[in-house]
Amino acid sequence: MRSWVGDHPLGFAVIGVLLAIATTTVLDAVGFGINVLLLPLVFFGCWYLQRLTRIEIGLVLGAWQPYVLAVAYPVLVLTLIGVIARATGAANMPAVNWTAALLNLAGMVVVTAVFALVTEEGIFRGWLWAALFRAGFRRNAVLVWTSVAFGLWHLSTALLPTPFHPALVQVPVYIASAIAIGLVWAQLRLVSGSIAVTSVSHGLWNGLVYVLFGYGTTAGVFEIHNTLVFGPEIGLLGLGANVVAAALLWLAVRRSKPAQRPAAIAIPATP
């Protein structure tokens, strides 16, 4: 098996992604609430079989500067959406128990950030990232394909009767948003060399979105019901904001030089 893995790194990468999607789909299909439960097995198994190093996986802290971007991205994007929703009357905040809301937010941020290291971030920005470089993919291709795989992984959550389960018309928006968000985090991974950085951003994003804006058909603190427009993940405004964020980062990263990125692994130059 290990010999086959070494001889066919791209084939193994495809199999690993399909396995990650399949395990999550099965858990969504049977109604198991924690659909990432089996992802650590996929992550550690693929890491072991390919004999990747911890640096290649990105399991390092990295420099402090990328953490500023990691925090700024969800804060700025979600603040923009929240302000527009409030200004147009889409957000209605009745009496809110802010103590409970903030405790819920803090708990969700911490739990998501920790578990993302060995689930979503570990799989897509960690193992798959390293596997594609091993397979000879260049920088931009790795950015795009890890993000596309991340978006496709969300299909079962959107299409099966899970607690999230948006309206069918919102599914394409959700998958496109997931790809755009994945591209933002992929670029944070590129400039930092660390999935700890992307996990922090992932945790903060999930916490802010699900506590303030809501999860699926359940409204959050802002009491926004027009999610087709104002949903950060399943709304048109969210999709637009995430695409703009990904594009701005793409332009900024394209102008940077790999040698100037502290803690980043060696990256093939892109013409």
Side-chain angles (χ1 to χ4, degrees), residues 6-167:
D7 293 339
H8 303 86
L10 179 56
F12 187 77
V14 172
I15 291 172
V17 170
L18 291 177
L19 185 59
I21 292 173
T23 56
T24 299
T25 300
V26 168
L27 292 180
D28 280 333
V30 300
F32 196 83
I34 308 174
N35 67 356
V36 298
L37 186 65
L38 297 177
L39 288 187
L41 296 177
V42 179
F43 170 56
F44 286 113
C46 291
W47 180 359
Y48 172 76
L49 288 172
Q50 286 199 282
R51 291 290 194 264
L52 297 162
T53 68
R54 184 172 57 85
I55 302 300
E56 285 179 295
I57 289 291
L59 204 55
V60 296
L61 285 176
W64 65 268
Q65 294 94 332
Y67 286 96
V68 177
L69 277 175
V71 171
Y73 159 62
V75 169
L76 291 177
V77 166
L78 298 176
T79 296
L80 173 65
I81 297 171
V83 168
I84 294 175
R86 181 65 175 173
T88 57
N92 303 295
M93 287 184 286
V96 176
N97 184 341
W98 284 106
T99 300
L102 291 175
L103 286 174
N104 188 18
L105 172 61
M108 188 172 294
V109 169
V110 172
V111 170
T112 302
V114 171
F115 278 96
L117 280 169
V118 295
T119 55
E120 294 170 71
E121 296 307 313
I123 289 285
F124 297 103
R125 259 77 61 183
W127 161 73
L128 181 60
W129 176 280
L132 290 179
F133 271 120
R134 281 274 183 100
F137 280 60
R138 301 181 77 81
R139 186 182 80 174
N140 288 353
V142 172
L143 288 169
V144 170
W145 285 116
T146 54
S147 304
V148 169
F150 179 68
L152 294 177
W153 176 80
H154 286 79
L155 271 172
S156 65
T157 303
L159 293 174
L160 295 176
T162 65
F164 186 74
H165 195 51

Side-chain angles (χ1 to χ4, degrees), residues 230-263:
F230 297 100
E233 295 180 342
I234 56 178
L236 297 174
L237 184 57
L239 174 58
N242 286 312
V243 167
V244 168
L248 290 175
L249 266 177
W250 184 279
L251 293 174
V253 169
R254 191 174 179 82
R255 294 192 185 115
S256 66
K257 296 179 180 179
Q260 294 176 335
R261 300 190 195 105

Side-chain angles (χ1 to χ4, degrees), residues 195-209:
I195 60 172
V197 170
T198 62
S199 293
V200 167
S201 191
H202 198 147
L204 188 57
W205 174 272
N206 280 15
L208 289 171
V209 168

